[in-house]
């Protein structure tokens, strides 16, 4: 690898982009473990809308999170293109895998940090702490998600507490 | 084996020995002068000193040496273990524990950290006070030396040690250099001649094999047992001969004979050590020639036998001690130390095996191939056996944990000046190691609570016609697939009125809300609840019981409390035996499968659709049974089948029926840990993976039972803010 390539490697970062109810989102590709075509998951009763159920990922049980519900919308409708993105999030000193339901996975994109604009203070349908920034791609905007906030295990558990009873 | 690993073993062993020492010391408080117990303390100190010497941990060696000397005087009857000395030795034990901990943290003990140095010196001084002054010590040595002189030995006034290390010495983690360093802590090596006869050519040499031998001239006032003790860890496969100063010429001859090298050469080595003078050597070799002429060449076995018969009286004591150590070691030989993570890995694999086995069996049944089915039957029976023998590997007795509380109770009772005795029962009850580790903190809290708040002051006890000495007890037993641990006291008990008043004051209860007595007691496990009027440094800070409860719940356990005003309190903790695998009972509701721990299932009955149960109750053989439809509980809106079944579950005296669609039978279940995301889900105990790869939910029966019975007793139960 020549130095110029190293340069670009340093300055840009890879993101996985996906679509959820017509909006484009991106997550840091380093957090992505794998993408599953929609598989049947086991629903877990008495859980809030954000937690849909659990799947068996090669012997370990992974919770499936409904992102749309987490963003304050209704539950994601399942269709043929529905995917589960498996993401690794830190849980104290370990990594915990979580699955998130999305309508469709688009692509892996290199994004230059300089292209990233700060999250709009208002006018977004998302809570501002969920967003690290916004990137313009042609006609569309892509929202970069702050995974540590969106998939905060404590908060997911807490919302189970308040909504579940 | 690298040094770090050996050091870890040293640390683990020292901690164990210190634990034994503490138990023995506490025993001495009740039976002072028991020689077995005193010997146990001495052995522990001695072994720690010996091993510490091998690692060059001089601070520990020097400190333990003083302690050992004091113990020696106790053994010989010059001192007695009174309360003061016991207390001192408990401090000594704690200090040693601290030193070992420092070693564990990788801190260099050659200069002690400032925070332990003062105590180190102070304890050393305290110990030294129990030792005779140096004057009498040297006197003692002088008489010894005169006695030795009587034997008309040769001129050498030092010990002579012949060492031929076994080939595995280095591999066993022993370092000859460490041994010499240790020898130097109680004497001086005058000269040291290596014997390299066994060293092969460089090409054939294995760097991990030890080929070394040494002839050592060692000047020391120590006795034979001490010097012998230095070699305790290499004795097994090495050849070690120790001759006291001024030994007789035939003893040297025996030595020369017993060592593998050629006699002449060995003689020269001895000369170089300064052990023998040239004339003495000649004399010795001359004797040898004579004796050879007398008896021709004797078979080596005979020589060795004779040798073991002709033991000088000095060695007799050491020999006895050696035997003792050997007995101990034989016991230990039946045990293997295994890294806990290896066991965890094994249990995990057994878990996967069970899932795979269940999958194979299911497939075989679906194929309808009878031979295949038989084969999987056999397989699953074997898997079950593997599981049953793998799980106990992680089981440990709770006794060791219980015994630790002797010290806690002793210390705390002094601190709060109450006379309290701890009694322990059921120590042989076994449970999972992980559970044991995580139960210690909650137990400590409960025991302290019982002592601080439970037991009344002596005058109040006397006034209530109770014995002045308070009693706290720990008990454990198995019950329906769980282990029950009780922490009890014969103290004042809980006053339900006071708890209720407090709960109202804190706004934890609604006005006019009625609670059963048991529920009142359980209020003290709620966050922010404490009835202690004055806060001591032990407990009563208002945090605690809720933390205890949280720890227990995290282990899938439950905690409840019985109390009689004026008679005492018993806290009962109920824990699952293992956190890994259970026998489950698989049921079906709509599309979902649920697992109920088998040992909680009492019976299954068919639900007669003609008699719909009213208001959540069903009559079972004349008794009212609270019943719930899992379908309704879990908000499953799939249509109800024509026939349903009731699974009757029970735990801790509570019974309830769960209505399900289908009974799928017994199923071995691997419990997958519950992600934090699900931690707030009521009634969910964990997940498991079925043979076909789908995820099934394990029901948390205790929490479901709690909900059901509470709902049926007090439907207006107030929600207590979590």
């Amino acid at each position: 690898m020549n130095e110029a390539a190293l340069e670009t490697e340093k300055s840009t970062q890879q993101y996985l982009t996906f679509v959820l109810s017509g909006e484009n989102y991106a997550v840091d590709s380093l957090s992505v473990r794998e993408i599953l075509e929609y598989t049947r998951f086991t629903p877990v009763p008495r859980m809030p809308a954000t937690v849909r159920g659990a799947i068996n990922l090669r012997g370990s049980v992974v919770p499936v999170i409904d992102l749309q519900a987490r963003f304050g919308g209704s539950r994601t409708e399942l269709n043929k293109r529905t995917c589960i993105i498996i993401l690794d999030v830190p849980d104290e000193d370990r990594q915990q895998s979580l699955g998130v339901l999305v309508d469709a996975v688009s692509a892996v994109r290199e994004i230059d940090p300089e292209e990233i604009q700060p999250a709009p203070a208002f006018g977004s349908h998302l809570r501002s702490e969920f967003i690290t920034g916004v990137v313009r791609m042609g006609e569309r905007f892509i929202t970069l998600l702050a995974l540590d906030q969106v998939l905060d295990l404590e908060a997911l558990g807490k919302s189970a507490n308040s909504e579940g009873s | 084996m690298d040094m770090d690993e050996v050091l870890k073993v040293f640390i683990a062993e020292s901690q164990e020995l210190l634990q034994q020492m503490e138990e023995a010391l506490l025993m001495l408080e009740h039976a002072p002068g028991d020689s077995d117990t005193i010997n146990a303390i001495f052995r522990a100190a001695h072994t720690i000193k010996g091993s510490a010497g091998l690692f060059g941990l001089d601070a520990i060696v020097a400190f333990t040496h003083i302690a050992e000397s004091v113990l020696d005087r106790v053994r010989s009857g010059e001192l007695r273990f009174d309360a003061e000395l016991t207390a001192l030795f408990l401090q000594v034990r704690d200090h040693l524990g601290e030193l070992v901990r420092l070693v564990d943290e990788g801190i260099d003990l050659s200069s002690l950290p400032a925070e332990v140095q003062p105590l180190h010196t102070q304890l050393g001084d305290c110990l030294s006070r129990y030792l005779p002054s140096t004057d009498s010590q040297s006197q003692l040595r002088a008489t010894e030396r005169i006695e030795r002189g009587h034997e008309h030995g040769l001129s050498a006034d030092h010990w002579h040690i012949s060492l031929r290390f076994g080939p595995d010495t280095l591999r066993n983690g022993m370092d000859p250099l460490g041994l010499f360093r240790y020898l130097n802590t109680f004497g001086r090596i005058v000269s040291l001649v290596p014997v390299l006869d066994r060293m092969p050519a460089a090409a054939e040499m294995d760097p991990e094999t030890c080929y070394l031998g040494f002839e050592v001239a060692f000047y020391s006032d120590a006795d034979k047992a001490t010097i012998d003790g230095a070699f305790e860890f290499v004795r097994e496969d090495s050849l070690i001969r120790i001759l006291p100063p001024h030994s007789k010429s035939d003893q040297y001859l025996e030595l020369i004979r017993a060592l593998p090298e050629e006699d002449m050469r060995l003689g020269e080595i001895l000369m170089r050590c300064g052990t023998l003078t040239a004339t003495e050597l000649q004399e010795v070799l001359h004797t040898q020639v004579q004796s050879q002429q007398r008896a021709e060449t004797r078979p080596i076995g005979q020589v060795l036998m004779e040798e073991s018969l002709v033991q000088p009286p000095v060695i007799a004591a050491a020999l006895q001690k050696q035997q003792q150590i050997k007995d101990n070691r034989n016991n230990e030989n039946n045990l293997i130390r295994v890294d806990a993570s290896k066991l965890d890995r094994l249990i995990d694999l057994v878990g996967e095996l069970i899932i795979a086995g269940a999958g194979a069996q299911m497939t075989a049944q679906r194929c309808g191939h009878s031979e295949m089915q038989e084969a999987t039957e056999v397989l699953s029976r074997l898997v079950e056996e593997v599981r049953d023998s793998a799980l106990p590997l992680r089981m440990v007795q709770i006794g060791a944990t219980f015994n630790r509380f002797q010290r806690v109770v002793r210390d705390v009772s002094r601190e709060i000046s109450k006379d309290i005795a701890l009694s322990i029962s059921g120590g042989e009850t076994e449970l999972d190691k992980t559970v044991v580790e995580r139960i210690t903190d909650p137990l400590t809290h409960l025991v302290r609570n019982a002592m601080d708040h439970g037991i009344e002051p002596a005058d109040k006890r006397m006034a209530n016609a109770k014995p002045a000495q308070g009693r706290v007890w720990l008990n454990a037993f198995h019950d329906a697939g769980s282990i029950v641990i009780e922490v009890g006291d014969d103290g004042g008990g809980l006053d339900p009125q006071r708890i209720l008043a407090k709960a109202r004051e804190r706004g934890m209860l609604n006005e006019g809300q009625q609670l059963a007595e048991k529920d009142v007691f359980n209020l003290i496990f709620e966050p922010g609840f404490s009835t202690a009027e004055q806060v001591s440094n032990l407990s009563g800070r208002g945090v605690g019981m809720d933390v205890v409860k949280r720890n227990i719940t995290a282990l899938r356990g439950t905690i409840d409390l019985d109390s009689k005003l004026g008679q005492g309190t018993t806290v009962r903790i109920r824990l699952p035996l293992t956190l890994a695998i259970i026998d489950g009972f698989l049921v079906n509701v709509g599309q979902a499968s649920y697992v109920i721990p088998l040992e909680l299932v009492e019976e299954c009955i068919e639900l007669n659709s003609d008699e719909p149960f009213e208001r959540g109750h069903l009559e079972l053989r004349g008794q009212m049974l609270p019943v719930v439809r899992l379908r309704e509980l879990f908000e499953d809106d799939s249509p109800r089948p024509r026939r349903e079944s009731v699974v009757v579950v029970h735990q801790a005296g509570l019974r309830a029926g769960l209505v399900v669609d289908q009974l799928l039978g017994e199923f071995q279940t691997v419990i997958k840990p519950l992600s934090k995301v699900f931690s707030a889900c009521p009634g969910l105990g964990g997940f498991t993976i079925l043979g076909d790869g789908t995820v099934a939910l394990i029901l948390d029966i205790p929490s479901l039972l709690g909900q059901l019975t509470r709902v049926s007793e007090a439907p207006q139960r107030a929600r207590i803010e979590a």
Side-chain angles (χ1 to χ4, degrees):
Chain A
M1 200 183 283
N2 60 33
E3 264 179 47
L6 267 176
E7 246 351 85
T8 37
E9 195 78 1
K10 252 184 237 163
S11 58
T12 69
Q13 219 181 338
Q14 287 194 328
Y15 285 84
L16 179 77
T17 61
F18 59 87
V19 183
L20 188 60
S21 61
E23 297 282 335
N24 285 282
Y25 298 96
V27 291
D28 186 347
S29 67
L30 290 178
S31 310
V32 179
R33 220 167 104 181
E34 60 192 281
I35 300 163
L36 307 175
E37 281 182 50
Y38 163 64
T39 50
R40 225 181 71 83
F41 54 80
T42 303
V44 177
R46 302 167 103 182
M47 288 302 286
T50 36
V51 184
R52 287 295 283 264
I55 51 162
N56 165 17
L57 185 70
R58 288 183 301 277
S60 42
V61 174
V62 174
V64 178
I65 306 298
D66 193 317
L67 263 194
Q68 196 172 304
R70 174 70 175 141
F71 293 158
S74 56
R75 280 196 160 181
T76 309
E77 301 239 350
L78 305 176
N79 61 47
K80 270 188 197 156
R81 294 187 64 196
T82 304
C83 289
I84 297 176
I85 304 177
I86 306 291
L87 296 164
D88 275 341
V89 292
D91 175 18
E92 277 150 31
D93 49 350
R94 306 176 290 126
Q95 290 281 314
Q96 148 104 54
S97 295
L98 285 180
V100 298
L101 280 176
V102 302
D103 286 342
V105 171
S106 323
V108 175
R109 282 181 199 278
E110 300 269 338
I111 294 177
D112 190 332
E114 287 179 7
E115 290 175 51
I116 301 176
Q117 298 159 23
F122 55 91
S124 169
H125 61 287
L126 279 192
R127 276 153 63 181
S128 58
E129 68 260 30
F130 286 172
I131 307 174
T132 52
V134 177
V135 172
R136 201 190 166 94
M137 280 277 169
E139 290 295 291
R140 322 202 59 156
F141 281 101
I142 299 178
T143 309
L144 306 186
L145 292 178
L147 280 185
D148 53 335
Q149 291 295 326
V150 174
L151 299 181
D152 177 34
L153 296 174
E154 294 280 339
L156 289 171
K158 284 244 176 59
S159 66
N161 218 1
S162 54
E163 293 170 45
S165 54
Chain B
M1 199 189 265
D2 66 74
M3 212 53 193
D4 274 0
E5 224 164 284
V6 186
L7 190 65
K8 257 184 238 157
V9 173
F10 161 71
I11 288 161
E13 267 177 7
S14 304
Q15 280 162 349
E16 244 165 59
L17 285 166
L18 288 171
Q19 187 60 41
Q20 285 166 15
M21 196 194 264
E22 181 180 290
E23 277 162 27
L25 283 167
L26 293 170
M27 241 149 82
L28 275 185
E29 286 199 326
H30 303 290
D34 180 71
S35 62
D36 281 350
T37 320
I38 294 172
N39 282 337
I41 300 171
F42 182 82
R43 266 202 308 278
H46 182 72
T47 313
I48 291 173
K49 186 181 90 171
S51 330
L54 293 177
F55 293 98
L57 302 167
D58 295 341
I60 296 183
V61 175
F63 183 72
T64 326
H65 182 73
I66 312 175
E68 201 187 323
S69 310
V70 176
L71 286 169
D72 215 22
R73 296 199 69 204
V74 178
R75 281 213 305 181
S76 60
E78 290 168 60
L79 282 174
R80 268 180 54 81
F81 251 114
D82 51 12
E84 200 185 331
L85 190 59
T86 313
L88 175 62
F89 261 89
L90 280 171
Q91 274 181 297
V92 166
R93 184 219 88 96
D94 290 350
H95 181 62
L96 276 175
E98 178 65 16
L99 291 178
V100 171
R101 197 185 60 79
L102 290 173
V103 173
D104 193 16
E105 282 180 6
I107 291 165
D108 181 17
L109 289 188
S110 52
S111 62
L112 283 179
E115 67 269 23
V116 295
Q117 182 64 56
L119 186 65
H120 191 79
T121 329
Q122 187 206 332
L123 286 176
D125 290 348
C126 287
L127 283 170
S128 303
R129 251 173 258 149
Y130 285 92
L131 291 174
S133 62
T134 29
D135 276 359
S136 54
Q137 238 176 344
S138 50
Q139 231 171 13
L140 215 94
R141 281 189 204 133
T143 40
E144 230 175 293
R145 201 165 297 157
I146 291 164
E147 272 169 352
R148 281 181 194 155
H150 277 305
E151 294 178 31
H152 297 292
L154 300 181
S155 59
D157 59 351
H158 50 73
W159 296 78
H160 185 86
I161 306 168
S162 302
L163 298 167
R164 298 294 179 274
F165 289 109
D168 286 333
T169 305
L170 297 175
R171 269 188 288 270
N172 291 342
M174 295 303 157
D175 179 6
L177 196 61
L179 283 173
F180 295 138
R181 211 182 283 141
Y182 178 53
L183 282 178
N184 266 332
T185 57
F186 54 87
R188 184 166 54 87
I189 294 178
V190 184
S191 76
L192 185 144
V193 180
V195 181
L196 304 171
D197 292 27
R198 283 184 301 162
M199 185 75 76
E204 293 156 34
M205 202 187 101
D206 173 9
E208 286 186 5
T209 304
C210 183
Y211 303 101
L212 297 174
F214 292 96
E215 295 293 326
V216 186
F218 180 57
Y219 187 84
S220 173
D221 283 329
D223 59 0
K224 171 121 186 174
T226 313
I227 300 178
D228 204 38
F231 302 104
E232 202 169 312
F233 296 93
V234 291
R235 186 173 295 131
E236 242 164 59
D237 54 353
S238 304
L239 181 62
I240 297 156
R241 288 287 178 281
I242 302 171
L243 285 184
H246 308 287
S247 289
K248 280 185 272 180
S249 59
D250 50 345
Q251 285 174 317
Y252 284 107
L253 178 59
E254 242 170 61
L255 170 79
I256 293 174
R257 248 193 236 142
L259 294 173
E261 287 82 16
E262 233 174 89
D263 295 352
M264 246 342 254
R265 227 183 80 67
L266 201 62
E268 276 164 32
I269 294 174
L270 289 182
M271 256 171 73
R272 263 167 63 199
C273 275
T275 301
L276 295 181
T277 62
T279 4
E280 280 166 350
L281 176 63
Q282 262 180 5
E283 195 185 314
V284 166
L285 290 178
H286 183 65
T287 336
Q288 185 190 28
V289 176
Q290 276 185 338
S291 68
Q292 265 176 355
Q293 278 169 346
R294 250 185 284 138
E296 289 304 309
T297 42
R298 290 179 302 168
I300 185 89
Q302 200 187 335
V303 177
L304 287 175
M305 256 173 60
E306 268 178 35
E307 198 189 318
S308 59
L309 286 174
V310 197
Q311 289 287 356
V314 204
I315 304 178
L319 200 73
Q320 199 186 343
K321 198 185 131 251
Q322 216 171 322
Q323 187 57 44
Q324 232 170 17
I325 291 164
K326 218 172 268 168
D327 287 349
N328 283 351
R329 206 171 275 172
N330 280 346
N331 282 339
E332 276 165 23
N333 276 349
N334 295 331
L335 303 173
I336 308 173
R337 232 176 246 282
V338 182
D339 192 345
S341 65
K342 286 186 187 161
L343 276 187
D344 289 349
R345 175 84 187 120
L346 178 69
I347 304 281
D348 278 354
L349 281 176
V350 171
E352 299 297 316
L353 187 64
I354 289 166
I355 294 174
Q361 203 171 4
M362 214 182 240
T363 318
Q365 263 165 14
R366 212 178 296 136
C367 296
H369 193 292
S370 65
E371 273 176 48
M372 181 76 185
Q373 274 177 31
E374 270 170 43
T376 51
E377 282 294 328
V378 176
L379 195 67
S380 66
R381 210 187 59 235
L382 282 173
V383 169
E384 207 167 306
E385 271 176 45
V386 170
R387 178 200 69 162
D388 289 345
S389 32
L391 280 186
L393 292 181
R394 285 178 54 96
M395 297 297 225
V396 290
Q397 297 194 344
I398 198 165
T401 309
F402 276 3
N403 284 335
R404 227 171 271 176
F405 285 101
Q406 292 285 10
R407 178 72 185 276
V408 174
V409 170
R410 176 193 175 276
D411 288 354
V412 173
S413 63
R414 283 195 190 185
E415 207 172 313
I416 60 179
S417 2
K418 287 181 189 172
D419 183 13
I420 300 172
L422 174 72
S423 52
I424 286 172
S425 50
E428 70 291 340
T429 317
E430 290 192 324
L431 76 167
D432 196 287
K433 188 172 186 314
T434 338
V435 184
V436 170
E437 279 161 9
R438 288 160 65 180
I439 194 73
T440 315
D441 281 355
L443 278 187
T444 312
H445 201 95
L446 290 175
V447 169
R448 290 191 159 197
N449 241 346
M451 297 178 71
D452 204 18
H453 302 319
I455 305 283
E456 323 91 315
D459 47 346
K460 195 170 169 199
R461 289 180 66 88
M462 302 286 259
N464 288 336
K466 284 185 186 177
Q469 189 184 48
R471 202 167 81 85
V472 171
W473 67 88
L474 286 165
N475 182 29
F477 55 91
H478 282 157
D479 175 46
S482 351
I483 179 172
V484 179
I485 302 171
E486 291 180 337
V487 183
D489 65 69
D490 66 347
L494 291 172
D495 183 350
Q497 291 315 315
R498 234 176 93 204
I499 296 176
L500 270 180
K502 195 89 174 181
R504 294 228 163 81
E505 183 192 309
R506 301 255 156 123
M508 294 163 76
L509 283 181
N510 295 339
E511 273 312 309
Q513 185 179 354
Q514 294 302 309
L515 284 178
E517 193 175 63
K518 213 168 171 85
D519 288 332
V520 174
F521 290 144
N522 284 331
L523 282 174
I524 70 165
F525 293 114
E526 297 302 332
F529 191 92
S530 171
T531 55
E533 264 135 31
Q534 97 200 64
V535 171
S536 76
N537 66 334
L538 289 172
S539 42
R541 281 191 215 94
V543 290
M545 289 307 251
D546 60 319
V547 179
V548 170
K549 182 170 188 177
R550 206 157 59 223
N551 288 341
I552 302 296
T553 315
L555 291 170
R556 294 195 286 117
T558 58
I559 184 164
D560 66 278
L561 186 143
D562 258 349
S563 186
K564 280 230 164 64
L565 194 58
Q567 286 176 30
T569 306
T570 305
V571 178
R572 219 166 271 114
I573 297 170
R574 186 178 283 269
L575 292 164
L577 282 184
T578 166
L579 301 173
I581 301 172
I582 54 164
D583 269 320
F585 188 76
L586 193 62
V587 298
N588 210 344
V589 177
Q591 294 292 307
S593 302
Y594 300 97
V595 176
I596 303 168
L598 187 65
E599 67 256 1
L600 305 181
V601 176
E602 200 168 82
E603 61 180 313
C604 299
I605 47 178
E606 207 168 303
L607 182 67
N608 197 339
S609 50
D610 297 342
E611 44 167 323
F613 50 91
E614 290 289 322
R615 306 201 334 166
H617 280 82
L618 194 69
E619 200 186 310
L620 177 63
R621 287 188 291 274
Q623 280 192 324
M624 290 308 274
L625 181 74
V627 169
V628 70
R629 274 208 167 79
L630 278 190
R631 162 169 283 106
E632 284 158 18
L633 192 67
F634 289 159
E635 292 148 17
D636 187 331
D637 16 289
S638 58
R640 227 159 69 190
R642 212 165 46 84
R643 300 173 74 155
E644 288 172 304
S645 299
V646 182
V647 181
V648 181
V649 291
H650 71 111
Q651 195 187 33
L654 298 174
R655 282 160 91 234
L658 305 172
V659 182
V660 301
D661 290 2
Q662 242 186 322
L663 305 173
L664 300 176
E666 289 177 33
F667 172 74
Q668 277 190 29
T669 304
V670 182
I671 301 172
K672 296 287 177 184
L674 207 55
S675 157
K676 228 189 243 168
V677 174
F678 298 109
S679 57
C681 178
L684 178 58
F687 288 105
T688 184
I689 294 170
L690 300 181
D692 63 356
T694 54
V695 175
L697 278 68
I698 303 173
L699 298 182
D700 178 5
I701 297 299
S703 107
L704 278 180
L705 276 178
Q707 277 174 42
L708 283 180
T709 45
R710 226 172 295 162
V711 165
S712 61
E713 274 168 21
Q716 77 279 30
R717 186 180 73 99
R719 224 181 92 75
I720 295 157
E721 277 313 313

